[in-house]
Amino acid sequence: MTAPLVLSDDTRTLLGWLAKKLAAHRPDDLMREETRLAQSLVLAEQLHGPTEAAFAAEQDLLAAAPRVRPGQTRGKYAALLRLIAQEVTQ
């Protein structure tokens, strides 16, 4: 899965929500891929309810949010998500 070239407003919103949640709760703990997957679904459904729109938003969020790197903390991953939401490239 590749990141979209242009992020939708929903994707930017969800990236921000995920970053805020990760940074606020145990930012020094290791980030887990399972957390990325689970929280993407949870947050998309918070935005749209259990709908097709939530499924699409979840897929877009997963495409925009890179896989977790070994040793990456929740706080560092949150910072990366904020950069992506601002469409800053590495």
Side-chain angles (χ1 to χ4, degrees):
M1 199 176 283
T2 60
L5 295 176
V6 177
L7 299 177
S8 70
D9 289 340
D10 279 359
T11 303
R12 272 194 216 88
T13 296
L14 292 171
L15 285 166
W17 287 2
L18 180 54
K20 184 176 180 179
K21 190 171 196 175
L22 294 172
H25 302 284
R26 302 181 326 273
D28 295 326
D29 284 4
L30 287 179
M31 178 64 182
R32 298 175 51 216
E33 182 64 14
E34 295 85 356
T35 301
R36 181 183 82 94
L37 296 171
Q39 288 302 313
S40 294
L41 172 61
V42 167
L43 294 173
E45 286 194 349
Q46 284 180 0
L47 184 62
H48 292 290
T51 62
E52 288 297 317
F55 175 77
E58 174 197 13
Q59 295 306 303
D60 288 347
L61 177 56
L62 289 172
R67 295 182 69 81
V68 177
R69 295 180 189 148
Q72 197 168 32
T73 66
R74 292 166 59 100
K76 288 190 188 257
Y77 191 77
L80 176 61
L81 295 179
R82 287 188 185 103
L83 289 175
I84 292 168
Q86 296 170 7
E87 298 189 66
V88 175
T89 58
Q90 298 181 15

